[in-house]
Amino acid sequence: EDRAKEEEEKQNNAKLLAQAVMAPQGGGGGPSPLGAGMPPPGGYQLGGNTAQSHAVLGQSLVGASQLQKQLEADKKLRRIHVGNLPEKGTRERKIKEFFNTQMKAKGLAVGEPVKDVYYNANGRVAFVELCTPDEATRCIQQLDGVEFEHCK
């Protein structure tokens, strides 16, 4: 219920912001003579109730900040730590191929589940970023202890 209210408020704010931004500069003129989708010769500016426009813009920025935090949290949920990697010859490409192959062979994913690999050769560890948190969970549950190039 709260999420529905938040979503409705965001949509209303987006509409108000769009209306405020679409007011032509210079106080008149109507639609652009250049055609649909083109700004009038003076460009667009915040119009109408400027205080309301600024409030809507501020709420939009807060929403964007919250979205950025959520994306960062989601990224952490999609990463798995892989340790005890071989000292020589291991590259991001090999790790990515190994996990993609293993996950597809075990029916844990469709397509290419590995989005990216961050490899630290000195520490012999990697962080494997998968496409979804669910794939990361399944990978941990089903591939823990699997041998990679003679290392477990």
Side-chain angles (χ1 to χ4, degrees), residues 39-90:
Y44 291 112
Q45 70 175 15
L46 290 176
N49 184 339
T50 305
Q52 182 182 16
S53 300
H54 284 250
V56 170
L57 182 58
Q59 289 173 354
S60 296
L61 292 175
V62 169
S65 174
Q66 291 171 344
L67 178 61
Q68 180 66 29
K69 287 177 185 176
Q70 180 61 38
L71 290 173
E72 287 299 318
D74 184 57
K75 188 172 187 173
K76 289 177 183 177
L77 293 174
R78 291 184 283 130
R79 281 188 191 163
I80 62 170
H81 176 267
V82 180
N84 198 33
L85 293 169
E87 288 184 45
K88 299 193 184 247
T90 301

Side-chain angles (χ1 to χ4, degrees), residues 16 18 42 83 130:
L16 288 171
L130 293 115

Side-chain angles (χ1 to χ4, degrees), residues 118-136:
Y118 309 93
Y119 175 62
N120 179 339
N122 296 334
R124 297 176 44 201
V125 298
F127 288 96
V128 177
E129 183 181 338
L130 293 115
C131 292
T132 68
D134 288 339
E135 287 175 338

